[in-house]
Amino acid sequence: MTGIIEITAPIEQEGTKAVVRNWLKRIGDHVKEGDALVELETDKVTQEIPAPCDGILSEIAMEDGDDAAPGAILGRMSIENANGVAAQLAEVPSQIQPASPATASAAAYYSPAVRKAAEEYGIDPASLKGSGRDGRVTRADMDHALETARPHPSASVSQQAEAGQNPLAVAADGKSRIVPHSAIRLSIARHMAQSLATAPQVTAIFEADFTAIMRHRENNKDRLKAEGVNLSYTTYFVAASVAAMKLVPEVNSQWHDDGLEIFADVNIGVGIALGDKGLVAPIIRQAQNLQLEAIAARLQDLTNRARSNALKGEELKGGTFTISNHGVSGSLVASPIIINQPQSAILGIGKLEKRVVVREVDGVDTIQIRPMAYVSLTIDHRSLDGHQTNAWLTEFVRVLQDWPQ
């Protein structure tokens, strides 16, 4: 036994890598098993890596901005014995023992991400004051230095060069800039391109009258609010999706070359925007077993934790269907809403707005103003055909419009 335990990135994680975002402990800190050591931003969510044992954080092998593949060594801990004394580090090869801040300069080491930024930006990290542990320069420091060094867009390339700035960081006309992609943005890009390359996708669009669910929500939202639950419109979309799955279960499926796998559980992912960082789709599991109030509570919990980077990796896996409520940001129709592979379909909800419609009353056509929204279903045409798509949407709209009071 060497007395040294490696801190590693999870073997099972969303995508093929994660990015180190923030060390929560410093070298030399005493930690207990399970204490959060470092934050990793995976392709889908930020997660905390816990201490594997009681001990002392003795080495940080990866800094902010470094890519961490599954199983990669993030750092090392020295084990404490029963008396709380750390095991000796003498058995550890000298090249992996941590340098003490008192005897080594933090500027003597730059992570691969910092070195890459230095090459791209033309900025010497030694000229910066680091914000990382023990004064280390991080990728964020390099990005900030690049941003603050940019001249006014009207400044010419020659003026930038005279000022000692890197003219290659912006376009020749000085009117553009390069923003490094986040892990989430890169994951979304790969996933969307892979989805379109994999499946022939077709979108059908219906129109839904929200009068009934608006009335029901108005009559019940205060009661649920008193219980700490927000009754959102998305709650109704989840419930109506479950009802439509009963009529057309093939929508809740996955294509395989040798057959269509139709799932018994309706595990619905709900797209949640995270601002410029992209979006995630945490899963409401076994939605077919949940009443409206339980759906509302589950949805609220997932939304709150998604926006505070507190979701667990497993809460983003195993979805069989996805809802994209793109109307909250103002769009009437989005087409196609790209399928979340390997699912067979994705529901889109457009902006809710008042529209003039024709309704028959006692055999007479009348002109009325109703709260309406376009709803769409994008399908994998390998799994589903048009008649199934339209039957599913017909039932989805009927459930919303006939919602009991």
Side-chain angles (χ1 to χ4, degrees):
M1 179 175 178
T2 65
I4 294 298
I5 295 293
E6 293 177 342
I7 305 160
T8 59
I11 296 296
E12 294 186 3
Q13 60 189 31
E14 289 290 296
T16 58
K17 68 177 182 179
V19 176
V20 177
R21 281 305 177 211
N22 182 36
W23 277 92
L24 306 174
K25 300 293 183 181
R26 304 172 71 92
I27 292 177
D29 283 354
H30 291 257
V31 297
K32 294 291 185 181
E33 181 178 356
D35 286 354
L37 295 179
V38 59
E39 291 180 344
L40 295 186
E41 182 184 75
T42 71
D43 294 351
K44 290 291 186 181
V45 67
T46 299
Q47 64 182 123
E48 295 178 344
I49 303 303
C53 62
D54 292 355
I56 296 176
L57 180 61
S58 57
E59 180 185 0
I60 290 177
M62 288 191 174
E63 292 285 344
D64 292 358
D66 288 350
D67 291 341
I73 297 174
L74 306 174
R76 293 178 173 86
M77 289 180 56
S78 55
I79 303 172
E80 289 185 326
N81 61 26
N83 296 319
V85 179
Q88 295 298 314
L89 300 182
E91 299 178 58
V92 184
S94 59
Q95 64 266 26
I96 67 170
Q97 291 193 32
S100 169
T103 60
S105 169
Y109 168 79
Y110 300 119
S111 70
V114 169
R115 294 197 298 270
K116 182 178 179 182
E119 182 179 348
E120 292 178 353
Y121 301 165
I123 297 175
D124 182 1
S127 66
L128 305 180
K129 182 179 180 180
S131 63
R133 300 297 184 189
D134 302 317
R136 290 186 186 274
V137 175
T138 68
R139 176 60 184 259
D141 295 327
M142 298 295 289
D143 293 343
H144 179 69
L146 175 65
E147 191 65 30
T148 56
R150 295 189 190 281
H152 189 275
S154 61
S156 67
V157 172
S158 62
Q159 288 174 322
Q160 297 174 48
E162 290 173 2
Q165 297 159 348
N166 179 12
L168 298 180
V170 294
D173 58 6
K175 294 182 179 180
S176 67
R177 59 194 178 96
I178 297 174
V179 179
H181 297 305
S182 67
I184 291 178
R185 176 52 56 195
L186 285 172
S187 175
I188 292 172
R190 289 192 295 266
H191 194 55
M192 295 298 98
Q194 182 261 341
S195 179
L196 286 176
T198 299
Q201 304 191 21
V202 176
T203 301
I205 301 173
F206 279 41
E207 195 173 25
D209 186 336
F210 281 24
T211 299
I213 62 171
M214 288 182 69
R215 185 180 298 122
H216 183 274
R217 179 175 180 270
E218 189 63 30
N219 293 336
N220 292 274
K221 66 178 183 178
D222 289 341
R223 175 178 60 83
L224 291 183
K225 185 177 180 180
E227 300 173 7
V229 177
N230 175 40
L231 183 59
S232 66
Y233 288 120
T234 304
T235 304
Y236 294 90
F237 305 151
V238 172
S241 295
V242 169
M245 295 299 185
K246 295 177 181 178
L247 183 66
V248 191
E250 293 83 2
V251 172
N252 192 49
S253 70
Q254 177 181 340
W255 169 269
H256 298 282
D257 288 342
D258 59 351
L260 186 67
E261 182 179 8
I262 301 174
F263 301 102
D265 286 338
V266 184
N267 298 329
I268 299 181
V270 179
I272 299 174
L274 302 178
D276 293 339
K277 295 181 180 180
L279 59 84
V280 293
I283 311 301
I284 299 176
R285 300 192 185 280
Q286 297 183 324
Q288 77 277 7
N289 297 331
L290 302 178
Q291 299 299 317
L292 190 71
E293 294 182 10
I295 294 173
R298 188 80 56 85
L299 181 61
Q300 178 179 322
D301 172 60
L302 291 172
T303 301
N304 290 343
R305 289 191 292 113
R307 291 173 176 165
S308 61
N309 289 325
L311 287 174
K312 298 178 181 178
E314 58 266 25
E315 292 176 308
L316 299 167
K317 299 177 181 179
T320 60
F321 183 73
T322 300
I323 297 175
S324 174
N325 192 0
H326 59 85
V328 297
S329 57
S331 63
L332 295 175
V333 176
S335 177
I337 301 175
I338 301 175
I339 295 170
N340 186 9
Q341 288 288 337
Q343 299 168 18
S344 288
I346 184 170
L347 173 68
I349 307 293
K351 179 182 178 181
L352 174 63
E353 64 176 5
K354 293 180 180 179
R355 298 185 196 137
V356 175
V357 298
V358 176
R359 293 287 185 267
E360 185 176 303
V361 178
D362 297 330
V364 178
D365 287 342
T366 65
I367 296 176
Q368 301 180 17
I369 298 176
R370 294 292 187 101
M372 307 293 294
Y374 295 111
V375 296
S376 65
L377 190 68
T378 298
I379 59 150
D380 181 340
H381 214 336
R382 301 173 303 172
S383 302
L384 301 162
D385 294 321
H387 75 279
Q388 295 164 305
T389 305
N390 292 338
W392 193 96
L393 279 172
T394 297
E395 179 66 4
F396 176 82
V397 170
R398 184 200 67 77
V399 171
L400 293 182
Q401 295 185 163
D402 295 343
W403 198 274
Q405 300 304 305

